[in-house]
Amino acid sequence: MPSYVYRVTKYDPADRDEHGSYEGPEDTDSDHGEVEAAYLRAVAAFAEDTGVGRLVVREPQVASYVHFGLEPVVEGYGLDGLFPSGLEDFHDGVEVSLDTGLELVRAMLRDNGAWCRLEVDDVFAVHVGWDQYLYVSSNVPCSEAVARTCELGLFPEPLHSSPYAFEDDDEGVQRPGDDEFWSCLRRAVCAGEAGVLEETYVDNATRWHRLTSDSLATVRAGLASRARVEVWPPLSTHVTSVLKGLSAEDYAEGVWQDDAGRLHSAFVDEESFPQLVAEMSRARAAAVVSIVVDERMPLMTAVMPDDDGVLRARWRTTPTPDDRLWALRRETRKDSAG
């Protein structure tokens, strides 16, 4: 990450206690007015000082069915008008203009439902945290931007690092969704072991795809850039048995196929439970997938590489036994070649 980091807020450091907690009169939500505009002008000033005119979206996410923001999620997550196809174009690695980046910062300050890191590798970064905390990083000191931020009535405080900087704590190598992966997937589909693929194209936003030997190429071509994928067994045609094990208290997602062959999914919650059961009871096939990390058991996982075959996405999947076996074979091949 860039070496010069500033926490930019509307909170006067003089109003913090000995532990750094703010005790002053400022609210923790956006005013949607002059103060919010000052935040955006401050980001623009730091970008200008750094010589940055475009930013890259990293690790985008949208609010899940549980939202902890101070303001309610808006329709479209605040992305409408920023991307040609809205959420579909809000993916890891997409490059945006500074103006669009500033509108994304505004949406994050307002808790509209979308969040991401905005970065230029080793040069510049903007991270929006909770309660109107903004972190700007640059590879230059940005003394003019610091002065301008003070003039705007905000408080730029130097830090060693942004608490929202990406950290890869996982060991091992991430399995890419390359030709080898898709060859393995084809064998699993033909053997009747794999039947559906879950595509996480943005954190908390997924699509489900039915897998057949004839559909694999189409599914692969339609996946979002840098999507994470999880492969699951075929849906069960014993829908009644699937529903018997489903409870309104489950932390789970129901997945089902209608008579036209289309896949649908919905999260389980008490309010929508009766409707979900009614929908799934009419399905041709169905399954229930846990959303608890330790209880999820896909067959294999991967992250899609860029068009040139390079895996640049930083986020990871939780490796399955098949993924670990792939990693072991990969290391064995490397040792043999060396």
Side-chain angles (χ1 to χ4, degrees):
M1 289 296 296
S3 53
Y4 297 94
V5 183
Y6 299 91
R7 181 175 68 184
V8 176
T9 71
K10 58 184 177 180
Y11 307 120
D12 190 335
D15 293 326
R16 296 187 182 276
D17 63 18
E18 66 272 18
H19 304 294
S21 298
Y22 180 72
E23 297 182 325
E26 292 287 350
D27 291 331
T28 55
D29 56 355
S30 173
D31 69 340
H32 294 220
E34 292 183 1
V35 177
E36 179 185 89
Y39 273 88
L40 302 187
R41 293 191 187 103
V43 173
F46 277 96
E48 182 179 356
D49 248 14
T50 309
V52 166
R54 299 189 68 80
L55 304 170
V56 177
V57 171
R58 301 308 310 266
E59 293 81 44
Q61 66 182 56
V62 294
S64 68
Y65 66 98
V66 177
H67 176 57
F68 298 102
L70 296 176
E71 300 187 54
V73 173
V74 302
E75 185 176 355
Y77 307 107
L79 301 174
D80 291 347
L82 301 185
F83 298 92
S85 299
L87 183 59
E88 291 185 10
D89 292 323
F90 183 56
H91 60 77
D92 187 82
V94 65
E95 187 178 284
V96 300
S97 67
L98 178 59
D99 287 343
T100 297
L102 294 177
E103 289 304 315
L104 284 170
V105 171
R106 187 196 304 276
M108 288 186 273
L109 290 171
R110 294 184 179 185
D111 288 327
N112 280 346
W115 187 89
C116 67
R117 296 177 176 89
L118 292 165
E119 299 182 357
V120 177
D121 284 347
D122 300 322
V123 174
F124 188 72
V126 181
H127 304 150
V128 179
W130 296 105
D131 300 335
Q132 308 296 292
Y133 278 77
L134 177 75
Y135 302 87
V136 183
S137 307
S138 175
N139 65 342
V140 296
C142 294
S143 54
E144 292 185 14
V146 170
R148 175 60 177 149
T149 300
C150 294
E151 292 173 0
L152 291 167
L154 301 178
F155 300 93
E157 303 169 80
L159 298 177
H160 291 296
S161 63
S162 165
Y164 292 88
F166 183 84
E167 294 184 6
D168 186 2
D169 297 327
D170 293 325
E171 297 181 359
V173 62
Q174 171 61 54
R175 187 176 190 175
D178 54 11
D179 290 344
E180 180 183 358
F181 172 83
W182 287 89
S183 293
C184 291
L185 179 53
R186 177 173 291 279
R187 290 194 292 270
V189 169
C190 292
E193 298 168 355
V196 289
L197 179 145
E198 183 180 10
E199 171 197 8
T200 301
Y201 56 100
V202 172
D203 253 353
N204 299 320
T206 63
R207 288 186 285 253
W208 289 83
H209 306 273
R210 182 166 171 262
L211 300 176
T212 66
S213 57
D214 294 332
S215 72
L216 280 172
T218 301
V219 170
R220 181 180 183 181
L223 295 176
S225 176
R226 303 185 181 181
R228 287 168 291 175
V229 298
E230 294 180 325
V231 177
W232 298 89
L235 302 182
S236 173
T237 56
H238 300 289
V239 177
T240 302
S241 298
V242 172
L243 292 177
K244 282 182 179 178
L246 185 61
S247 165
E249 285 76 39
D250 287 341
Y251 291 98
E253 184 176 8
V255 185
W256 67 97
Q257 180 185 0
D258 63 23
D259 286 337
R262 295 184 295 262
L263 293 187
H264 307 267
S265 68
F267 290 110
V268 176
D269 62 48
E270 290 190 34
E271 183 178 348
S272 64
F273 184 71
Q275 181 181 353
L276 175 61
V277 171
E279 289 277 357
M280 293 182 67
S281 65
R282 297 190 294 269
R284 180 187 299 175
V288 175
V289 177
S290 175
I291 61 174
V292 178
V293 172
D294 292 341
E295 297 176 0
R296 293 175 65 84
M297 294 182 289
L299 301 175
M300 62 182 77
T301 72
V303 176
M304 296 304 295
D306 290 350
D307 290 341
D308 61 3
V310 178
L311 182 58
R312 295 186 177 90
R314 299 183 299 201
W315 51 22
R316 287 173 170 259
T317 59
T318 301
T320 68
D322 190 82
D323 299 335
R324 296 189 183 95
L325 181 59
W326 163 83
L328 179 61
R329 290 196 301 261
R330 178 178 180 272
E331 289 303 313
T332 301
R333 287 197 300 265
K334 286 174 60 178
D335 290 343
S336 298

